[in-house]
Each structure stands twice: as structure tokens, then as C-alpha cells.
Amino acid sequence: MNTQAKFAAALLDPACPCPSGLKTWTGGDPARRFQVYRNNVVASLIDALADTFPVTLELVGDAFFRAMAGVFVRGCPPRSPILAFYGDDFPDFIGSFPPAAGLAYLADVARLEYLRVRAFHAADSMPIGAAELAGVLADESALPGLRLRVHPSLSVLHSRSAVVSLWAAHQGIGSLAQVVPSEPETALVLRHGLEVDVIEVSPAAGECIAAIVEGLPLGAAVARASSIDEAFDPAGVLGLLLQKSAITALIPSRRES
Amino acid sequence: MNTLPRKSITAASLALALGAALSTAAVTAHADDKMADKEKCYGVAMKGKNDCKAGAGTTCAGTSKIDYQGNAWNLVPKGTCEKTASPTSPTGHGQLAAFKEKKA
Amino acid sequence: MTKDIPCMQRSGGASVSRVGALPARGGLGLKPEHFQTILEHLPALGFFEIHAENYMVAGGPFHHYLTRIRSHYPLSIHGVGLSIGGAAPPDEAHLDRLAALLERYAPQSFSEHLAWSSHGGAFFNDLLPAPYHAGTLNRVCEHIDRVQERLGRRMLIENPATYVEFVESTLGEGEFITELVRRTGCGLLLDINNVHVSCVNHGRDPHAFIQTLPLAATGQIHLAGFAEDLDADGHPLLIDSHGAPVAEAVWELFRTVVQQLGPLPTLIERDNDIPAFPVLLAEARRAEAVMAALGDMAVTA
């Protein structure tokens, strides 16, 4: 192994001794100085995760979070120098991390936090105007085949836990003691203007939006939502997307049915 | 197995929904109560995560490694999770006992 | 004759030019915490500097604010992820992202570090040290050549803050950087805090050491604060924390450099425990005051 490979290996593995070939001007032991690098690597990456997952941190407390993140950092260091997106697989890691198994909702809260970061940095896209949408009403028969392109920041998270309520309680909205963590909730995450919104929607509404994001035409998207809740009315979803400037293009069908 | 929705998705029903959506979107306040109360936004902490500083110096956790696969892991979540109600736990706080690796 | 720094009283930056060099004035690292304050008050300041990687995102508030701030101020883009001192050549995908960012914001200066931060596909988020000898010199020159070629511009390379040295090193840091500049045509980003930190950490006289650097190639200066620690033998070990005001010892070195080189674009770096904007602005003004008082001496010297 060359100098750099040895140095790199010892950064993440505390069981590795201080690499050989280092020296200090006093002739003393360089190990403690090497610690500066080791500490900075691990601590700065844990800090990056703490920035991305602040509610996850609050839920388990600083000591537990930093220890858990430390295990993750050593096993899964960033593969890219862009730290904004470091930790995309941290929620999965939490879900399979035995010491956190008692908190069934923790991984999904982390997923929600990651979706917020993703939304925050997502590409900008101009919404269509209400007039454009009103225009498609002129040809009613084309509506089921119409596809909506939505804002790149938008995503849906179906959770078996009360992710939105848990997250919101940490923003001073609602009381944590009132939240039943095992209550399933569906979250819609999107950026509206410069702000990231987290909105709780019904599971059927979430399914409809997810289908739209996947590129399904309106008719099929609504059908998918209706299979979850036969009383599903798309007016709420469409109104919400419009209100949040989340519809960015209308793509007419290629004329089949 | 009949998974088809009883109410079929007709062009007319979509037109109705879209029309309703347009009028509700114009009147900003949204009627759906589930959506209304939690959407207040607290912007993602706007922090640039890349920088060129060195932190921590020689005295921090860079060398302490807690091995959760051995029996060394003795940390219990001690945060706001303790305030959530958990119907599955007799204590009401979920199962927060220290994790111990099961011996094979 | 202390007229040398124009525009100090003017609201807004000295220039909104999209070409040319950074003005020889004080600048500040741009922090999202300060986006709104800056746009509201448009304080008189020579330039802002960003860390390139923070803006390698598709859209959203970072680009929204940077676009507006860029229209009022000159900009320096400072990379922290190219790993120029690395064993592997600079990552082409990362160079593409950098090229796009430079194209978009047309900064007056682009700089990176004499350090490595990636190895074997992992990114360590730290500026790690490289040994100084002919082998590493050739490699780093190749990397700088590639970066300058891909970006189509001259870059500045920053002298590092280090905590250990390598037995295998055969060149001094000053000699090494002088050769880099000579062979690649890159400029020097003279980080005076790093000079002080490294000299204390390696038992050198900073005034003597700084003269071994290719000072004539200096395109920008960095000033920052450090943290104090101790090594295993109880010797002081300074950490480049960017978490404190610029130390008096660093100001002293800065005065020496300004006397010798004249005014230069001078950045106050603060990445930790970030204070309110006016506190940082006062440090940038102090740098401008030093340059106004001493800068003329250099021209005639």
C-alpha cells in the first residue's frame, strides 16, 4: 500500500494504527497529531448527517445519534464530494440498525427529512398558469389521457408511522405526547417558492400524486387512488398541486382510447 | 378478485374535479383539513455542508468505535422519543432497553 | 496617501464586472445565514467567496440568492473537493460540475487546495496532507494542468495547514509550491493563517517560511482563526478551525505581506461559530485598513 492508501485506511478504522512514515518536528509520537485528521473526518461527516437529519437526532438524543451515525460513516463514507446529498441511504441503515429497532418510526422520519433536503435543492421549474389548465377543459375527452409534469422537488412518502405528526411536533406544531406513532400517515414533500412544505395527505391522494410523478396519465392515476379509497375525489389533489405551483407542464395524450 | 373501482373514472368526472380544483386554487385557503394544519413550513436549515475547516482537534470521538455487533453497545435512545406514547410498551415509552446482541 | 482603496464608502460592491480580477479589497465567505442581510444592506465589500461544492445542486434557494448576490459583487469560487493532491487524477465528473458552475457565475477567481480529500472512491471531507517529493510534484502538476485545461482558466492553489509531516518528503513546502507555480502557471492563494498554523505545528519561523513561497504569484490572501490544542509531547498544536477571529499573530504576518506585495484581494474565512454579519464585516474592514495604511509602501519599495 502506498502512503495515501495507508493514510486513508486508518482514517476510518480506529483499529488501524497510526500510519507509518509520519513524523513530527520534535521527534515525538505522531499518533496524536494523526488524530486531528481522523477526528475531523469522522466528526465532520457525522455533523453533515446531523444537519440533514435534525429531527431524527432530537428523537434519539445527541449521544445515540452520533454513535449510530459514526457506525454509518465508517461503513458508508460519502462517494461524492457534494455533502448536501450525503446520507441518502442513512434511513435504510437506521431501519436495519438493531439498537434502534424499538423505534419503528425512526427510519421513516429520517426518510422524510432526506426528502426535504432533496426538495430544497431540486431544480427550479416554472408552474403553468390556471389559464393553461382551464384550456384543457375545452376537450373533456382528452382529460383521462392527460399527463401532468410536476415540480422536480415533489415526492410522496407512504409510512406505517405518523411521520408527518412526529416531524411537525418538532417544529412546534402539535404536541408530541398526542401523537400516536403507529398511526400510518402519508407525506407530500415539495418546494413552493423557496420553502419546503411537508403536507399530510390521505393515502389515496398520495397514491394519485405518486402515480402522476411516475408519469401515468390522469385517468390511470385517479384509478389507482380509487382502488385504495373508492370515494377518492381528485379535486383536492389537483387543487393542492395548483395552489403549490407544483404543476409545471401538461402533456396531452398521444391519442389512443 | 375485483379490484376495479366501482365508480369508473370518466372524462366527465375528471373535468368536474379539475373545474373544482381551479376554483379552490383560486380561493387560496384549502378546504381539506388534513392538509391544512401541518403544512406550515420551517425551511430546511440553510447550511452549506462543504467547507475547508478542521474541527475537533485531537480530543473527540474519532477513535472511539462502539461496536454494536459485540456487546459493547450500551446506548439507549434518550431524546424526544421518550415523550411519544407507545401503546405497545407497558411503560408507554416504547422498548428502549439497551440493545444486547443475542448470543448464538 | 491612503487613497488606494476606492469605493469603501459606496453602498454595494466595487464592481459587478463578470470578467477581470478580484479587487484588492476585503472579502467575506458567503454564508447562507447572511444571504438576506447582504441583499437588504448591500454592504460595501470587495467580493464574496463560496465553496464550490455547496452550489453543485440543481436549483432552489442557494442558487436563488447567489444569483442575486453575484449581480452586486465580484465572486471567488473556492473548491474543497477536487483532491488535487490525490493519488488519482481529478474526477472528470466533478470537473464537469465545476466547469458548469464557473460558466454560470463567471467568478473572478477560482482556487483549490494543495491537499487530497478522496481516495478509493471515498470522500473524506478533510484536506489531507501529501508528502513533498519529485513523485508527488509531478503528479500534482499533472492534476493542476488537467484542471486548468478543462476549466480553461488559471487557478490559484492554496498552501495547506498541516498537523504531520512525512518522512519521505525531500522538498520543503515552499520549494514544492514554487515548482507547482513555475511548471503549471497557476497562482498562489496565500493562506496566512495556514502559514502560521503549519509553522507553529512544525516548529518553523513563519516570517522566514513565508519567503520560501512564490509570493509574486499571489492572487488572493486568506485570513482565518484557529483553535489551540497540544500534541503528545505537550507542544502547541494549532487547528485550522475557522471558528475564531483572525489572531494577532496572523494580522502581523499579513502586515508584512502587504508591505511587501501591496494590497491584494483578502478574504476573512469563517466556517464555524459564525457570528452576526457586522462582526465579519468589521474584520474585512480591518484588512482594508491595513492595506490602505501599508499598501503604498510596497509599490515604491
Side-chain angles (χ1 to χ4, degrees):
Chain A
M1 264 206 292
N2 66 27
T3 307
Q4 208 166 90
K6 278 189 293 186
F7 202 103
L11 286 170
L12 289 178
D13 185 359
C16 269
C18 170
S20 58
L22 302 181
K23 66 172 185 178
T24 72
W25 67 285
T26 57
D29 181 7
R32 194 174 155 92
R33 287 162 168 259
F34 179 70
Q35 287 292 88
V36 176
Y37 295 109
R38 203 174 233 171
N39 285 331
N40 194 43
V41 168
V42 174
S44 73
L45 292 174
I46 292 173
D47 286 345
L49 293 174
D51 285 346
T52 295
F53 302 98
V55 175
T56 308
L57 185 153
E58 276 190 70
L59 278 162
V60 297
D62 200 56
F64 188 95
F65 183 89
R66 295 192 76 85
M68 175 168 72
V71 175
F72 176 78
V73 162
R74 292 200 163 93
C76 312
R79 311 302 291 178
S80 155
I82 304 165
L83 284 186
F85 302 117
Y86 179 49
D88 59 334
D89 44 2
F90 189 50
D92 286 350
F93 170 85
I94 293 173
S96 62
F97 186 61
L103 302 174
Y105 50 80
L106 197 63
D108 272 354
V109 170
R111 280 185 188 100
L112 180 64
E113 295 200 279
Y114 191 82
L115 291 177
R116 295 190 75 236
V117 168
R118 202 185 140 275
F120 185 78
H121 292 301
D124 302 307
S125 193
M126 288 294 287
I128 57 160
E132 198 176 333
L133 199 57
V136 300
L137 278 171
D139 181 8
E140 207 174 272
S141 68
L143 285 179
L146 181 73
R147 288 175 167 83
L148 307 183
R149 187 167 296 147
V150 292
H151 196 274
S153 66
L154 188 148
S155 58
V156 174
L157 177 67
H158 288 290
S159 176
R160 275 181 236 160
S161 308
V163 273
V164 180
S165 301
L166 284 166
W167 180 83
H170 289 83
Q171 320 303 319
I173 307 164
S175 153
L176 198 53
Q178 305 300 312
V179 177
V180 181
S182 59
E183 195 80 10
E185 285 182 356
T186 299
L188 171 65
V189 179
L190 52 78
R191 193 177 74 235
H192 182 221
L194 297 179
E195 304 276 312
V196 175
D197 288 357
V198 174
I199 305 166
E200 194 201 341
V201 296
S202 71
E207 193 61 25
C208 179
I209 297 168
I212 289 171
V213 173
E214 282 169 38
L216 264 63
L218 213 44
V222 173
R224 223 164 85 174
S226 302
S227 70
I228 290 178
D229 172 9
E230 55 185 57
F232 174 72
D233 179 357
V237 162
L238 294 170
L240 179 66
L241 294 180
L242 267 176
Q243 189 198 334
K244 295 292 177 186
S245 309
I247 304 176
T248 59
L250 300 173
I251 307 158
S253 80
R254 298 173 295 271
R255 278 285 149 202
E256 319 137 278
S257 73
Chain B
M1 201 165 76
N2 179 15
T3 53
L4 282 177
R6 218 176 299 157
K7 195 176 75 176
S8 66
I9 313 304
T10 63
S13 69
L14 277 177
L16 210 61
L18 201 50
L22 279 165
S23 55
T24 53
V27 188
T28 49
H30 203 268
D32 193 326
D33 54 329
K34 277 203 110 178
M35 295 174 183
D37 59 341
K38 281 173 192 155
E39 67 185 63
K40 192 161 187 330
C41 174
Y42 292 77
V44 171
M46 288 203 301
K47 247 184 180 173
K49 288 169 198 159
N50 282 100
D51 57 42
C52 50
K53 67 170 191 272
T58 60
T59 50
C60 109
T63 42
S64 71
K65 179 179 177 181
I66 309 177
D67 183 2
Y68 74 96
Q69 284 166 329
N71 277 338
W73 190 277
N74 58 0
L75 283 167
V76 170
K78 274 203 171 67
T80 52
C81 64
E82 295 179 291
K83 294 189 195 128
T84 60
S86 172
T88 60
S89 158
T91 66
H93 289 149
Q95 281 92 42
L96 298 183
F99 170 77
K100 293 281 182 199
E101 166 89 336
K102 284 187 206 83
K103 291 212 169 87
Chain C
M1 286 214 304
T2 59
K3 40 78 192 152
D4 227 315
I5 301 184
C7 317
M8 269 191 67
Q9 309 310 321
R10 196 173 6 124
S11 169
S15 157
V16 293
S17 153
R18 292 183 67 82
V19 288
L22 291 176
R25 297 184 51 195
L28 286 175
L30 180 60
K31 294 289 156 189
E33 293 88 327
H34 300 142
F35 281 159
Q36 275 146 343
T37 308
I38 292 163
L39 283 174
E40 242 167 72
H41 302 286
L42 295 179
L45 192 70
F47 63 99
F48 282 102
E49 180 166 287
I50 59 163
H51 292 133
E53 284 69 14
N54 286 332
Y55 293 82
M56 290 181 181
V57 295
F62 278 28
H63 287 297
H64 171 91
Y65 286 110
L66 180 56
T67 301
R68 280 155 185 76
I69 289 169
R70 175 70 184 96
S71 72
H72 294 284
Y73 295 93
L75 181 70
S76 162
I77 293 190
H78 188 49
V80 297
L82 255 187
S83 201
I84 279 180
D91 179 57
E92 287 295 324
H94 200 65
L95 278 177
D96 289 347
R97 290 188 286 261
L98 257 181
L101 193 69
L102 296 177
E103 171 78 16
R104 179 167 181 174
Y105 290 106
Q108 280 78 3
S109 174
F110 170 69
S111 53
E112 253 283 0
H113 299 83
L114 176 53
W116 58 281
S117 50
S118 296
H119 186 86
F123 174 68
F124 295 107
N125 193 36
D126 196 11
L127 298 166
L128 301 160
Y132 299 133
H133 53 67
T136 51
L137 181 63
N138 289 337
R139 198 172 65 209
V140 175
C141 281
E142 283 166 24
H143 296 173
I144 292 176
D145 284 344
R146 175 62 195 138
V147 174
Q148 294 189 139
E149 177 195 54
R150 175 66 185 86
L151 300 179
R153 64 187 293 158
R154 179 179 188 242
M155 68 181 292
L156 306 180
I157 195 93
E158 178 179 327
N159 58 296
T162 56
Y163 310 106
V164 296
E165 292 183 296
F166 293 86
V167 175
E168 64 187 283
S169 288
T170 55
L171 299 169
E173 187 170 288
E175 284 175 90
F176 191 92
I177 295 175
T178 301
E179 267 306 288
L180 286 182
V181 166
R182 192 183 67 79
R183 291 202 209 168
T184 68
C186 75
L188 173 67
L189 196 177
L190 176 62
D191 189 314
I192 297 181
N193 186 57
N194 287 357
V195 167
H196 178 72
V197 163
S198 289
C199 284
V200 168
N201 290 349
H202 306 309
R204 291 189 199 110
D205 169 15
H207 289 274
F209 169 77
I210 214 166
Q211 296 305 324
T212 69
L213 291 167
L215 292 180
T218 306
Q220 194 191 335
I221 288 174
H222 273 181
L223 302 175
F226 54 81
E228 294 184 60
D229 209 324
L230 293 174
D231 77 358
D233 307 318
H235 292 289
L237 183 64
L238 304 187
I239 311 294
D240 184 29
S241 65
H242 297 186
V246 177
E248 286 310 316
V250 173
W251 282 118
E252 176 53 38
L253 273 172
F254 176 60
R255 280 190 285 271
T256 310
V257 169
V258 172
Q259 277 179 356
Q260 189 175 340
L261 301 179
L264 282 161
T266 300
L267 182 85
I268 306 294
E269 283 188 297
R270 189 71 176 259
D271 294 311
N272 236 344
D273 296 328
I274 296 166
F277 188 77
V279 177
L280 295 177
L281 196 57
E283 275 193 293
R285 294 272 156 77
R286 181 172 172 186
E288 294 197 331
V290 169
M291 293 192 281
L294 302 176
D296 287 347
M297 298 164 69
V299 185
T300 51

